[in-house]
Amino acid sequence: MRKLLRAEFSYLRLMKLFWAELLALIGYGLLIVIGGYDMAVKYGLSLEGFAAESLFQHASLLGIMGAVLDSLLVGTDYSDGIIRNKLVVGRSRTQIYLSNFIACAAAGAVQLFFASAVIWTFIMLLMGRPQIGAPAFLSTCIVMLFLCVSYASIYNFVSMLVSGKAYASILNILLAVAFLITASFLLSKLAIPETMQPYEMGANPYYVSGVKRRVYQFFADCLPAGQTLQMANLSLVWKMPGALFCYCGLSAAIAVILNTAGIILFRHKDLK
């Protein structure tokens, strides 16, 4: 297993796409920070508040970037015949599946860590210390790491079972977009205020309440993209710490279920 992981990480280090995505994450995050700084200066608002709001905006790209990178990372094993070579030298299908999953999860976590470190440093130099407590910041980082694991389990599952690299890439990107659209729809519905005040206070007929609201919130919290978007605008950060650990548990459950199912299906896959 260690040799498989060493080979995966060596290949990942040489992938231009890995470094290009890392630069894109950093660039996107810095643009958000600069935009927040300009707005704060223009309207005389708190720099610390905008610093906190800009801190995790780059996380919204995790799903799309993971879909592209994981598809190519795993798909290369099929296109270059590497999987068959691994089997010939005595590696089990379970080891091959899990090594690819770990490599995908590690790639996302490393990109996230370095991008966040650069963006945090830039924010400190430009705006000062972000207006966010250490427990909230630490909890968010933990949730984001679990999200990398969740995304990796989804994209690795598809890539290991769909032999064509192009087909796997298309399917994973479509899944990422579908997750993002669904999460955006649910969160936009949940953001509708309970009351509206054009001229006088009154009930908002578009407000989602009752069981429907709880269902929307449940799926918004369960979807990896839903958690990502909520972290990006800090609406998830301020929830109860116990709830944050539940979201980590949901991400871990997705990884366990998909990896278990993926290993079982991959064992019976015909590798021609």
Side-chain angles (χ1 to χ4, degrees):
M1 187 71 166
R2 278 184 293 178
K3 290 183 178 179
L4 284 174
L5 288 174
R6 192 179 302 119
E8 293 289 348
F9 292 142
S10 297
Y11 176 70
L12 183 64
R13 191 175 67 250
L14 298 174
M15 285 186 72
K16 294 180 180 179
L17 178 63
F18 173 80
W19 299 106
E21 287 191 349
L22 175 58
L23 290 176
L25 269 179
I26 294 173
Y28 178 75
L30 294 183
L31 286 176
I32 296 296
V33 173
I34 293 171
Y37 176 81
D38 288 342
M39 185 173 294
V41 171
K42 182 177 180 180
Y43 295 103
L45 303 174
S46 168
L47 285 176
E48 291 79 7
F50 272 93
E53 292 178 7
S54 305
L55 190 56
F56 300 111
Q57 291 289 332
H58 61 290
S60 58
L61 298 181
L62 282 178
I64 299 293
M65 290 192 169
V68 177
L69 181 66
D70 296 351
S71 300
L72 295 182
L73 179 63
V74 178
T76 301
D77 280 8
Y78 279 111
S79 61
D80 294 353
I82 297 175
I83 285 185
R84 289 192 295 273
N85 293 338
K86 291 178 179 178
L87 292 171
V88 168
V89 297
R91 306 305 173 200
S92 70
R93 295 197 179 204
T94 299
Q95 289 176 325
I96 294 171
Y97 189 98
L98 289 178
S99 65
N100 282 331
F101 160 68
I102 293 172
C104 292
V110 169
Q111 287 178 333
L112 182 63
F113 172 80
F114 280 105
S116 299
V118 172
I119 293 167
W120 174 275
T121 303
F122 187 76
I123 287 175
M124 290 285 288
L125 294 173
L126 188 65
M127 300 186 183
R129 190 177 185 278
Q131 201 172 49
I132 180 174
F137 176 78
L138 194 59
S139 299
T140 303
C141 291
I142 293 173
V143 173
M144 291 171 75
L145 287 176
F146 272 86
L147 273 174
C148 291
V149 172
S150 178
Y151 276 127
S153 66
I154 296 170
Y155 301 141
N156 185 59
F157 177 85
V158 174
S159 300
M160 290 297 292
L161 298 180
V162 179
S163 302
K165 181 165 60 175
Y167 293 123
S169 300
I170 293 171
L171 186 54
N172 276 332
I173 292 171
L174 288 176
L175 276 174
V177 172
F179 290 153
L180 197 59
I181 292 174
T182 303
S184 298
F185 169 79
L186 293 173
L187 293 173
S188 67
K189 291 294 184 182
L190 292 169
I192 296 174
E194 185 174 2
T195 58
M196 53 192 303
Q197 189 178 6
Y199 302 106
E200 58 182 17
M201 186 69 69
N204 190 339
Y206 299 104
Y207 178 73
V208 179
S209 61
V211 176
K212 188 176 181 180
R213 185 174 187 84
R214 289 194 291 272
V215 170
Y216 276 25
Q217 189 66 63
F218 173 78
F219 282 106
D221 292 340
C222 285
L223 283 172
Q227 293 186 29
T228 304
L229 291 176
Q230 290 183 82
M231 283 190 299
N233 62 24
L234 295 181
S235 60
L236 181 58
V237 176
W238 307 120
K239 291 187 177 182
M240 296 296 292
L244 289 173
F245 285 112
C246 287
Y247 301 140
C248 292
L250 287 169
S251 295
I254 291 173
V256 170
I257 292 170
L258 287 182
N259 282 330
T260 302
I263 289 171
I264 293 172
L265 293 172
F266 184 62
R267 282 177 178 174
H268 296 87
K269 182 177 173 60
D270 184 14
L271 299 175
K272 291 185 179 179

